[in-house]
Amino acid sequence: MRVPGYWRNMSFLYRLAGWKCVHCGAFHHYKPVVCRRCRSKEFAQVELPGSGRLIAYTVVRSPPKEFERCAPYAIGLIELEDGTKILSQLTDFKENELRDDIRVEAVFRRVRINGEQGIIEYGYKFRPALSQS
Amino acid sequence: MTAAIIGVGMTRFGRDLEHQLPELAFKAIDEALRDAGVSKEDIGFIAFGNVGGWSGEFFPLPIVCEYAGLNPRGGMRVEAACASGSAALAAACMAVESGYADIALAVGAERMNELASTPAIVELLGRGGNFFWEFEMLGLTFPAYYALFARAYMDEYGATEEDLAKIAVKNHYYGSMNPKAQFQKKITIEDVLNSRYVAWPLKLYDCSPITDGAAAAVVASERIASRLTDTPIWVKSQGIATAPANLTMRRDLLSIESVVEAARQAYRKARIEDPVRSLDLALVHDCFTIAEIIAYEDLGFARRGGGYLLAREEQTYIGGLIPVNTDGGLKAKGHPIAASGLAMIYEAVKQLRQEVDRGRQAPIKHGQALIHNVGGTGHFAYVTILSLEKP
């Protein structure tokens, strides 16, 4: 990724901050012109809840070029506590600890260092929550 | 207005670095024109399906037209990801049905091996989702998208990796009898289960391969088609739909909502109420084994949660409930992205005309076949019904 692109996405990558439609609650990574779901034009800046439930996950063993040094890595589809869905790499898990439906929480991690311009990219990943009740 | 397919052609699929893209396209076009008994001067419009980006030509259609001697005929490139072949057929049908052309050519061609390494191809295909939010920061790959569908499906209904393997075994069985298939070799459940994980729970043998190839169909108006051939294959209906690109915006991962919508349109227009009792066979988009199982349900061949049972009970072989992928599917025949839809059309046309090699010919009783062609993970869906009977 190029540096300006990375900077633009920092608020989401660093703190899961984006925009929610005040009428229907749809989440948008950027402040859009109109809500893609209900066409309203009013948005509030929000931070998404940092915890949720793992819907499904996979472990990538045949990676794309830029992720060759990271493989194998796990990626999950997560439903956050407010109902927003998010895709994320998974981290800090022990063998056999990942299961669909477990509770997960966001952590701040280095994502990769081999971007186009050699910058070290940080962002969110999710890990199994200590308390599963 | 109605359009009919009067000729089809395709190259032998596989790793083919000997032929350039225009040469691949020409081989398919040449076979289709001969099959139709028309010459290139008769073509009024060309719809060229190609995703490209592997390297090579940025504007491939002019080079294809020049090489195939189609100048000065006009046309355009059509792109709907892995459904580009069906999209090219749709564009050719529109040209004929609108009265713009009497005869149109639908072509799909892809030369994936131009990109030298698998990781580079994996990267390009991974961009097929929502670029930033699914690929750039995550490293999601195409097999990984479908792996998420597979996990959600297996969790919900109790399907196993062995059930998925059944699809690969069936499609290789038919591929072994198809002289145009990339892999003409039977495999066993153990072969699939022992292959390495690409994106858990999907293994190498759950995935369609990287392929070079081309396929073409000659489409004619009602008036011309009946004059040129005794067995025009009518395009009875096409359902066309899209779904959100980003997986987080889909309802769930148990169904592909664009396919449900495209099937609804296609069945309604073709007046099909009970698909398995109205169709002789189906060609479905098995880019991954799980995709074929979900397709059984989205197309109404099985109830929700019953798709894997069709695979387990081997109901989609010839002689079962409905034969599916009698050409080996994308899994064994190969998947040169934009050519795949037209290669499915090729098989459906040959099946309806009863011109397929022994062992692969399905009994033709209703005179109807279905083609299910998906772009991305349902970003595009095309469902086409071909028929021996004029609609």
Side-chain angles (χ1 to χ4, degrees), chain A residues 58 61 73 85 100 112, chain B residues 136 138-139 155 198 200 250:
Chain A
T58 178
R61 291 182 181 274
Y73 49 90
K85 285 185 204 159
D100 294 346
R112 55 179 187 172
Chain B
E136 175 107 47
L138 291 183
D155 240 30
V198 168
W200 180 84
R250 303 280 182 89

Side-chain angles (χ1 to χ4, degrees), chain A residues 16-39:
Chain A
L16 298 180
W19 298 83
K20 237 179 200 183
C21 170
V22 297
H23 293 274
C24 78
F27 178 77
H28 304 258
H29 290 106
Y30 307 100
K31 189 178 181 184
V33 179
V34 293
C35 174
R36 68 171 178 278
R37 198 196 285 165
C38 76
R39 307 290 154 205

Side-chain angles (χ1 to χ4, degrees), chain B residues 86-259:
Chain B
S86 291
L89 180 74
C93 288
M94 287 176 201
V96 164
E97 286 167 4
S98 69
Y100 176 78
D102 284 327
I103 301 180
L105 192 57
V107 190
E110 211 76 67
R111 199 161 174 262
M112 299 174 74
N113 282 301
E114 273 176 16
L115 258 186
S117 74
T118 299
I121 294 170
V122 167
E123 165 150 1
L124 195 71
L125 292 175
R127 290 166 173 237
N130 181 303
F131 177 64
F132 184 77
W133 299 113
E134 294 189 324
F135 174 74
E136 175 107 47
M137 291 307 283
L138 291 183
L140 259 174
T141 60
F142 231 83
Y145 292 123
Y146 273 101
L148 292 173
F149 278 90
R151 275 313 310 163
Y153 185 92
M154 293 161 88
D155 240 30
E156 182 76 16
Y157 301 123
T160 63
E161 290 184 41
E162 204 172 323
D163 293 326
L164 302 187
K166 284 265 194 180
I167 298 286
V169 170
K170 170 179 70 70
N171 292 349
H172 270 264
Y173 170 73
Y174 287 120
S176 75
M177 294 181 267
N178 182 354
K180 299 227 177 185
Q182 179 162 4
F183 301 131
Q184 297 171 25
K185 173 178 113 157
K186 287 179 205 160
I187 56 168
T188 63
I189 296 282
E190 288 67 41
D191 290 333
V192 184
L193 294 180
N194 293 334
S195 64
R196 67 180 171 85
Y197 283 111
V198 168
W200 180 84
L202 298 183
K203 295 167 288 297
L204 186 65
Y205 279 35
D206 285 300
C207 308
S208 57
I210 292 162
T211 310
D212 309 310
V218 180
V219 178
S221 66
E222 191 176 342
R223 188 173 55 87
I224 302 274
S226 311
R227 219 164 57 197
L228 283 176
T229 170
D230 294 333
T231 50
I233 304 296
W234 301 95
V235 183
K236 205 166 183 188
S237 66
Q238 265 200 313
I240 306 177
T242 57
N246 195 317
L247 286 191
T248 62
M249 291 170 198
R250 303 280 182 89
R251 238 184 343 258
D252 59 44
L253 299 182
L254 301 171
S255 160
I256 291 181
E257 52 213 64
S258 55
V259 171

